[in-house]
């Protein structure tokens, strides 16, 4: 009999907890709806496509090729990124640059994002600060595998 | 002629109320569970950019289910397989006819009961209809010719029949207190006062009876703490071989059962359409005051009071469904036979003793 009372009390306590959540959340949803208390949402949900969570500042997102002040890519085609890449997803082909200070630039620079494991080794290896992973772009879905191979233009733009 | 017309209008209105409320409850269930769990819930269904907190979700669900294939497995019994969802739907829809929605109103000299069928054994009729719902479960499990479906149907039948006993016993005490099986009379009895200030509601006269009734009635709706017949996520239930609109009919029946249980709890234990201290000519406060009201205001207040109570019990059942985990089958049978049936008997005994001592 004492046991049954404990069980009954535990059941009532449980439903009081869920009921409390219901009423507090409903109250804050209501306050938000009529425009008071914008900062306390009624739910922890992030409504994804309309609302995004801020990424950490060092988050490794899709790659970007940085540019010199004159607009040309910084890359000097040293192949360090392609060498260090554990997924072997970076293809760089070098060509001669007319500028004697630069000597070489990449004629072809492709990253297969379908293979990339986003380890950031290429960014670490680059001596010229030519590649960064700071686009903040995480929605990388594509219709085909070929669409995920980004060429030098797409990488320079940061967004395809 | 006019009586038939009035009856037809009442049937249509009650059925519309019932189905619309059941459709709305699918939305309420989603939203309420979401709010309880700090989520937002279904809010993407929209018409012309109008979202309305996801209120169009039931329509989206209905459209989805209509356009699904109406599938009958080749090994199933085609007639019974098609019949089963309609059987369970029909008996629940019939059960609601005995619920009184309000007092007798007079329109142009004719008295109209706000109740479709006021049988002299209305309570027994209602219980019988609720019991017949078990045929829908058993038929769907049997006609699927699927072993797991059959076992699920058997589980459902065993559970429902076991809890019928407790349900029936919990109401015997009530019938002793309000000596009638006619639901309109039971409600009328609850309008009087008890101990001078409390309304003479079933829950104050029969608290133990209400407890047993409510637990068994939730078990009758076969929803989560007691959802062993279907067990949507883990165990395969009786409608494993159903899809599309027939499956939707089973789900709709579940929500309709919630409404029937809420209406039954309101009618039997919470005074039905009676509002506390509201007489036919206005509010009579227990401390002596009197507010005069027109009779149509009183009728409206009483109808609203019924709806509010039903809404509260629907809310409570959804809260229970999203709070407690499912119990094991042996625990289910223990609870039914070893706790609720003895408590129901004890309630009858106690009620009889108190009534004979008075």
């Amino acid at each position: 009999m004492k046991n049954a009372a404990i069980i009954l009390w535990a059941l009532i306590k449980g439903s009081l907890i869920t009921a409390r959540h219901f009423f507090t959340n409903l109250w804050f949803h209501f306050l938000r709806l009529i425009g008071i208390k914008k900062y306390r949402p009624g739910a922890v949900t992030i409504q994804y496509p309309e609302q995004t969570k801020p990424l950490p500042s060092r988050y490794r997102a899709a790659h970007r090729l940085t540019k010199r002040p004159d607009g040309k890519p910084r890359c000097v085609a040293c192949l360090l990124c392609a060498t260090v890449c554990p997924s072997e997803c970076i293809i760089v082909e070098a060509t001669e640059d007319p500028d004697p200070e630069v000597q070489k630039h990449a004629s072809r620079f492709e990253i297969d994002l379908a293979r990339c494991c986003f380890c950031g080794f290429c960014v670490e290896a680059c001596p010229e600060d030519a590649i960064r992973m700071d686009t903040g772009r995480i929605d990388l879905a594509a219709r085909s595998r070929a669409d995920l191979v980004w060429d030098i233009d797409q990488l320079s733009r940061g967004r395809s | 002629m006019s009586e038939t017309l009035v009856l037809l209008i009442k049937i249509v209105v009650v059925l519309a109320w019932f189905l619309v409320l059941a459709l709305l409850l699918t939305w309420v269930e989603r939203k309420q569970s979401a709010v309880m769990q700090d989520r937002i819930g279904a809010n993407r269904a929209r018409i012309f950019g109008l979202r309305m907190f996801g209120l169009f979700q039931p329509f989206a669900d209905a459209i989805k289910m209509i356009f699904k294939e109406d599938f009958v497995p080749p090994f199933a019994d085609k007639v019974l397989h098609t019949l089963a969802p309609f059987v369970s739907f029909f008996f629940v829809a019939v059960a609601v006819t005995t619920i009184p929605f309000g007092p007798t109103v007079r329109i142009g000299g004719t008295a109209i009961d706000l109740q479709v069928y006021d049988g002299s054994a209305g309570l027994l009729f209602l219980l019988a209809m609720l019991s017949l719902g078990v045929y829908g479960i058993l038929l769907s499990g049997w006609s699927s010719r699927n072993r797991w479906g059959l076992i699920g149907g058997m589980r459902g039948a065993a559970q429902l029949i076991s809890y019928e006993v407790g349900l029936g016993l919990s109401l015997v005490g009530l019938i002793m207190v309000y000596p009638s099986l006619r639901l309109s009379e039971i409600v009328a009895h609850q309008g009087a006062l008890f101990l001078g200030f409390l309304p003479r509601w079933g829950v104050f006269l029969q608290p133990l009876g209400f407890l047993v009734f409510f637990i068994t009635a939730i078990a009758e709706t076969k929803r989560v703490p007691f959802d062993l017949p279907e067990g949507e996520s883990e165990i395969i239930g009786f409608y494993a071989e159903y899809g599309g609109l027939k499956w939707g009919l089973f789900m709709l029946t579940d929500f309709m059962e919630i409404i029937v249980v809420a209406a039954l709890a309101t009618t039997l234990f919470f005074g039905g359409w009676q509002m506390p201290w509201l007489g036919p000519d206005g509010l009579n406060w227990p401390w002596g005051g009197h507010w005069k009201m027109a009779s149509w205001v009183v009728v409206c207040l009483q109808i609203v009071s019924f709806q509010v109570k039903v809404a509260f019990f629907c809310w409570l059942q959804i809260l229970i469904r999203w709070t407690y985990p499912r119990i094991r089958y042996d625990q289910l049978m223990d609870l039914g036979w070893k706790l609720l049936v003895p408590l129901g008997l004890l309630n009858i005994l106690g009620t009889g003793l108190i009534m004979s001592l008075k």
Side-chain angles (χ1 to χ4, degrees):
Chain A
M1 200 58 214
K2 196 184 158 210
N3 213 10
I6 289 171
I7 290 172
L8 196 65
W9 172 235
L11 288 176
I12 291 170
K13 222 162 64 172
S15 63
L16 283 181
I17 289 172
T18 45
R20 193 189 68 214
H21 270 255
F22 177 78
F23 285 114
T24 23
N25 287 336
L26 202 64
W27 175 241
F28 279 107
H29 275 306
F30 173 70
L31 286 186
R32 211 177 155 76
L33 193 72
I34 59 171
I36 320 171
K37 288 245 183 192
K38 292 270 186 203
Y39 301 110
R40 165 63 162 86
V44 294
T45 311
I46 293 170
Q47 303 258 317
Y48 171 61
E50 295 96 30
Q51 209 184 349
T52 49
K53 200 176 165 180
L55 291 173
S57 55
R58 293 178 58 194
Y59 188 87
R60 296 193 297 269
H63 309 70
R64 175 171 74 96
L65 287 183
T66 54
K67 288 172 185 152
R68 293 169 197 283
D70 62 356
K72 288 197 288 188
R74 263 183 203 277
C75 179
V76 294
C78 64
L79 300 186
L80 275 177
C81 51
T83 313
V84 78
C85 181
S87 318
E88 299 182 350
C89 64
I90 305 181
I91 297 166
V92 187
E93 276 174 16
T95 190
E96 201 174 330
D97 195 271
D99 189 347
E101 293 286 316
V102 180
Q103 296 187 354
K104 275 204 298 183
H105 72 260
S107 65
R108 181 178 169 216
F109 192 109
E110 283 178 12
I111 298 181
D112 187 352
L113 288 172
R115 292 188 60 162
C116 177
C117 65
F118 296 90
C119 60
F121 283 2
C122 48
V123 181
E124 301 284 329
C126 185
E128 295 284 320
D129 191 20
I131 185 164
R132 287 190 190 174
M133 296 175 82
D134 60 354
T135 54
R137 202 174 155 197
I138 53 171
D139 49 337
L140 293 170
R143 297 266 169 197
S144 68
R145 282 169 196 277
D147 287 349
L148 278 172
V149 181
W150 285 13
D151 62 15
I152 193 161
D153 290 334
Q154 282 166 306
L155 287 168
S156 305
R157 275 203 302 273
R159 297 188 75 89
S160 64
Chain B
M1 179 57 213
S2 81
E3 268 187 23
T4 321
L5 193 68
V6 166
L7 192 65
L8 265 176
I9 291 170
K10 279 197 288 194
I11 289 172
V12 168
V13 168
V14 168
L15 204 61
W17 172 83
F18 201 33
L19 290 178
V20 168
L21 198 57
L23 215 59
L24 205 63
L25 266 189
T26 65
W27 174 79
V28 171
E29 164 131 332
R30 288 175 162 201
K31 281 306 225 191
Q32 188 184 335
S33 64
V35 173
M36 274 167 57
Q37 298 170 348
D38 303 352
R39 296 184 285 116
I40 287 179
N43 65 349
R44 300 265 159 179
R46 58 184 172 196
I47 298 178
F48 305 121
L50 199 64
R51 272 195 182 170
M52 294 283 291
F53 314 109
L55 259 174
F56 299 121
Q57 192 67 37
F59 300 106
D61 285 342
I63 290 168
K64 185 194 93 170
M65 283 190 287
I66 286 167
F67 282 100
K68 278 193 161 187
E69 186 186 356
D70 186 19
F71 180 73
V72 180
F75 44 80
D77 188 325
K78 290 209 169 39
V79 178
L80 291 183
H81 187 271
T82 314
L83 192 66
F86 295 98
V87 167
S88 55
F89 177 84
F90 175 76
F91 287 121
V92 179
V94 166
V96 84
T97 54
T98 55
I99 303 288
F101 284 78
T104 307
V105 287
R106 298 196 164 274
I107 299 171
T110 50
I112 299 170
D113 294 337
L114 295 184
Q115 182 181 16
V116 177
Y117 168 65
D118 190 15
S120 59
L123 187 57
L124 290 186
F125 173 77
L126 204 154
L127 287 179
M129 288 302 124
L130 285 181
S131 311
L132 281 171
V134 78
Y135 278 100
I137 298 171
L138 203 53
L139 270 182
S140 64
W142 177 259
S143 62
S144 300
R145 299 255 168 88
N146 175 322
R147 291 165 191 80
W148 292 280
L150 178 60
I151 293 170
M154 288 300 187
R155 270 201 311 268
Q159 175 185 331
L160 261 63
I161 289 170
S162 303
Y163 278 78
E164 287 294 334
V165 180
L167 186 69
L169 285 177
S170 70
L171 295 180
V172 171
L174 194 89
I175 298 163
M176 288 158 77
V177 176
Y178 311 117
S180 174
L181 285 170
R182 199 185 278 269
L183 284 169
S184 57
E185 270 182 40
I186 291 180
V187 174
H189 275 292
Q190 300 187 51
L193 285 185
F194 170 58
L195 297 178
F197 64 100
L198 277 178
R200 232 176 117 79
W201 286 1
V203 70
F204 298 123
L205 300 178
Q206 295 275 310
L208 187 61
F210 173 68
L211 193 72
V212 175
F213 163 80
F214 199 55
I215 297 173
T216 48
I218 290 172
E220 289 287 311
T221 61
K222 45 188 193 308
R223 277 157 60 80
V224 155
F226 306 100
D227 73 331
L228 292 128
E230 47 193 281
E232 50 203 17
S233 52
E234 299 94 351
I235 40 181
I236 301 175
F238 58 90
Y239 50 63
E241 297 289 352
Y242 283 87
L245 215 52
K246 287 180 198 161
W247 176 87
L249 214 51
F250 275 122
M251 285 316 276
L252 195 67
T253 309
D254 261 20
F255 286 103
M256 285 159 72
E257 274 175 351
I258 296 177
I259 299 168
V260 167
V261 167
L264 202 56
T266 305
T267 307
L268 296 176
F269 289 97
F270 282 83
W273 43 261
Q274 303 274 10
M275 201 171 135
W277 312 308
L278 186 67
D281 55 348
L283 273 166
N284 296 303
W285 297 110
W287 48 87
H290 178 73
W291 288 5
K292 212 164 160 48
M293 284 181 190
S295 72
W296 65 271
V297 177
V298 170
V299 169
C300 285
L301 272 178
Q302 283 169 336
I303 292 172
V304 168
S305 138
F306 178 79
Q307 303 294 337
V308 167
K309 288 173 197 169
V310 167
F312 171 76
F313 277 104
C314 292
W315 175 85
L316 188 65
Q317 285 181 72
I318 293 174
L319 185 88
I320 286 169
R321 184 243 178 277
W322 287 93
T323 301
Y324 301 129
R326 179 189 304 145
I327 61 179
R328 223 167 46 217
Y329 203 75
D330 59 323
Q331 290 171 335
L332 176 88
M333 285 295 159
D334 277 1
L335 181 69
W337 288 108
K338 293 187 189 165
L339 187 67
L340 295 178
V341 169
L343 276 181
L345 288 169
L346 196 71
N347 184 42
I348 297 171
L349 192 72
T351 311
L353 274 177
I354 291 172
M355 285 179 75
S356 63
L357 286 177
K358 253 200 296 196

